[in-house]
Amino acid sequence: MWTKTVVELHCFDTRNESDRLSYILTGVQWVKKIMWQKQGDACTVSWIKTTSFLENKVKHTLKFVALGTCLLGSTAMAGTVDLSSWGAEGDGSWALQGVNNDAVYQSINTPKPAAFINKIDSQGAALSGKIKVDNPSGDDDFIGFVLGFDTGDFGSATADYLLIDWKRNDQYVSGWGDGDKGLSISRVSGALSEADAWAHTGAVTELDRGTSLGNVGWSEGVEYTFDLIFTASAVQVKVNNSLELNIAGSFENGSFGFYNFSQAKVTYSGIEENEAVISPVPLPAGGFLLLAGLGGLGALRRKKKS
C-alpha cells in the first residue's frame, strides 16, 4: 500500500492471461477496475459504482506502455455542489439559496451547536467555497466547519470528529467560561455541551490555532474563501489562499459540514469538491504497465449516503 497526499492507493497485479489490474481508492470511497485484452496499447476502462459516491458508469480509453511503474492522473468534479441532499444537525435554521441550491443561509442565533452536513464519508476530498456573515449580524460568535461528523454526533458519547471554528471577539459567559476570538481546530470526543463548545474544554481538545488568524476574528460583511483538505492522516485549511491550519494525526471518516454556534446570518456558498492529484506510484512486484494518460471524466455528482 502506498499512502499519498489525499488518498490511499492499493495496486494489485493478478499476473494472469487477461492482464487484469484493479486498484482501490479508499480515501474517496469508490472502486475502479481496469480490464483489458492484449490489443496493442489501448484498452477500455469501466468505472464501477460501489457506493453512492458515483452516479453512473463512465468509460474511458487508456494507453499503456510496458514499463515498471504506474502513473495515475488526477480527476475532478466540476461545478458547485447541490446542497439539497444535505441535512441539519442540532439547532439552526438552514435555508437553501441559489438557482442550483449551491448556497445555504443559517438565519438564527443558535442556542446550541448547529451543523449542516453532506451525509457522506468525505475523507480524500479537497473542499472549497465561501463564507460570509451579514453586516450587521448582531453578534460575534462561532462560524466554521465539522469534519468526520456522523449523524447524531452532537449528542453521542462515542462521537469523534474535528471542529474548525472561528470567533469574532473574546467573550466571557458565566457558567461557560472564556470564548476566545480567532480560528482554531479541535477534536471533539463525546457529546458536545454548550460550555465545551464555547470554551474548548471537556469533550473539546484544541489541536492548533490559525497561523495568522489564531487571535483574529472574522469581520461582518466580508466574504472569505476557504480551502480544506481532509484525509485519514492530515487536515489543511486555507483562508483567502493563506494556509492557516496544517495538522497530522489519525482521524475518523465521516461527513463534511458547516458549523454555527450562537451566531446568526451566515451564508455558505460556492462549495466545490475535488479529488486530489495522485503522484506516480510503483506497481507491486511483477507489475509491468505504465498508465500513460487518463481521459476526461464525465460529470460526477455526490449523492446522499443510504
Side-chain angles (χ1 to χ4, degrees), residues 120-191:
I120 53 177
D121 289 339
S122 297
Q123 279 185 353
L127 303 144
S128 62
K130 301 174 182 177
I131 183 171
K132 180 180 179 180
V133 182
D134 288 355
N135 184 14
S137 70
D139 214 340
D140 57 1
D141 292 325
F142 294 96
I143 60 177
F145 312 95
V146 289
L147 298 172
F149 191 96
D150 292 327
T151 300
D153 265 356
F154 280 140
S156 173
T158 60
D160 184 3
Y161 58 93
L162 296 173
L163 170 63
I164 300 165
D165 59 2
W166 193 7
K167 195 175 187 310
R168 183 184 177 199
N169 288 321
D170 292 329
Q171 187 178 359
Y172 174 80
V173 173
S174 179
W176 289 358
D178 292 309
D180 296 330
K181 70 179 177 182
L183 177 70
S184 68
I185 184 168
S186 303
R187 189 163 200 158
V188 180
S189 304

Side-chain angles (χ1 to χ4, degrees), residues 253-293:
N253 206 348
S255 299
F256 163 76
F258 313 130
Y259 173 82
N260 277 185
F261 178 35
S262 187
Q263 182 60 50
K265 301 180 180 180
V266 187
T267 300
Y268 300 86
S269 63
I271 309 304
E272 296 183 2
E273 302 181 29
N274 295 293
E275 298 166 21
V277 172
I278 304 172
S279 303
V281 297
L283 285 172
F288 55 91
L289 296 172
L290 174 67
L291 174 52

Side-chain angles (χ1 to χ4, degrees), residues 72-94:
L72 304 183
S74 66
T75 62
M77 291 173 288
T80 55
V81 175
D82 182 340
L83 305 177
S84 60
S85 64
W86 293 35
E89 292 284 318
D91 291 322
S93 178
W94 305 87

